[in-house]
Amino acid sequence: MRKKEKESTIPLKNELILTNKKAIAITKLLITNFPTLYQVVKKSVRKPMYYSDETPRLDKDGRQITVFDSDNIQEILIVAFRELSESTVIKLISILIDIPEEQVMDDDFAKTITMIADFVSNKKNKKALLSIVKMMESIIEISETNNKIDNN
């Protein structure tokens, strides 16, 4: 007799939008857990810059100039998951697909990864996530400035 598979708790595709609740949770997670991760991703996920005539842009030492490649979601996820602890990944998945952390590990992996891919590839969500990152950078910059002022 076959054991009945547990039904997935992953929400339907149209429910995976970036709500204010998710944005706040992601921002808090980024600010508290990810400042160093963001720097690692920003340094690792790069693309070369070119002039309009497709000539490579070089720095004063003749090296190719590169910039952060925010469109390379796959590489960003690879670098991020390599750097994150399992508990942080679980928390992030919980936020993104809106299920309790306790259920993340028991859900169907194929469905979970498909939902995350759909979520991050959604242009509206991507734009909002990039805005969250910019906001996080500003908050960190303000915090560092305040720390410098307090230490002087």
Side-chain angles (χ1 to χ4, degrees):
M1 181 174 223
R2 282 182 75 184
K3 184 178 171 186
K4 184 178 178 187
E5 287 187 35
K6 183 179 172 188
E7 190 172 313
S8 178
T9 56
I10 296 175
L12 298 173
K13 188 173 184 175
N14 61 357
E15 295 174 343
L16 288 178
I17 57 171
L18 186 60
T19 62
N20 288 330
K21 179 182 175 184
K22 286 181 187 179
I24 290 167
I26 291 169
T27 303
K28 284 177 62 176
L29 192 62
L30 285 170
I31 290 170
T32 57
N33 296 12
F34 294 174
T36 54
L37 172 66
Y38 179 66
Q39 294 305 321
V40 170
V41 169
K42 203 169 169 182
K43 288 178 184 174
S44 301
V45 183
R46 313 285 296 174
K47 65 181 176 183
M49 289 185 65
Y50 295 94
Y51 291 104
S52 58
D53 67 355
E54 309 253 343
T55 306
R57 292 184 104 175
L58 305 176
D59 65 13
K60 63 181 178 171
D61 297 322
R63 292 183 301 248
Q64 174 89 46
I65 296 174
T66 61
V67 294
F68 175 58
D69 186 1
S70 63
D71 291 328
N72 192 346
I73 299 296
Q74 180 180 358
E75 188 63 26
I76 291 169
L77 290 174
I78 289 169
V79 172
F81 278 95
R82 183 176 58 227
E83 298 291 321
L84 293 174
S85 69
E86 184 177 293
S87 63
T88 303
V89 171
I90 290 168
K91 186 174 196 114
L92 184 57
I93 290 170
S94 170
I95 293 167
L96 290 177
I97 63 175
D98 203 20
I99 63 172
E101 287 181 47
E102 304 80 43
Q103 291 179 292
V104 169
M105 294 303 281
D106 293 330
D107 255 329
D108 179 88
F109 177 75
K111 288 180 183 177
T112 301
I113 202 70
T114 300
M115 297 307 281
I116 292 170
D118 287 346
F119 182 89
V120 296
S121 65
N122 177 307
K123 291 191 187 301
K124 288 181 183 178
N125 287 344
K126 182 179 176 187
K127 188 174 181 180
L129 289 170
L130 290 173
S131 295
I132 289 171
V133 169
K134 286 180 184 179
M135 181 175 63
M136 181 204 66
E137 286 177 332
S138 297
I139 291 169
I140 291 170
E141 187 177 307
I142 290 167
S143 175
E144 289 173 351
T145 301
N146 287 341
N147 286 341
K148 287 179 186 176
I149 292 170
D150 291 343
N151 291 333
N152 288 333

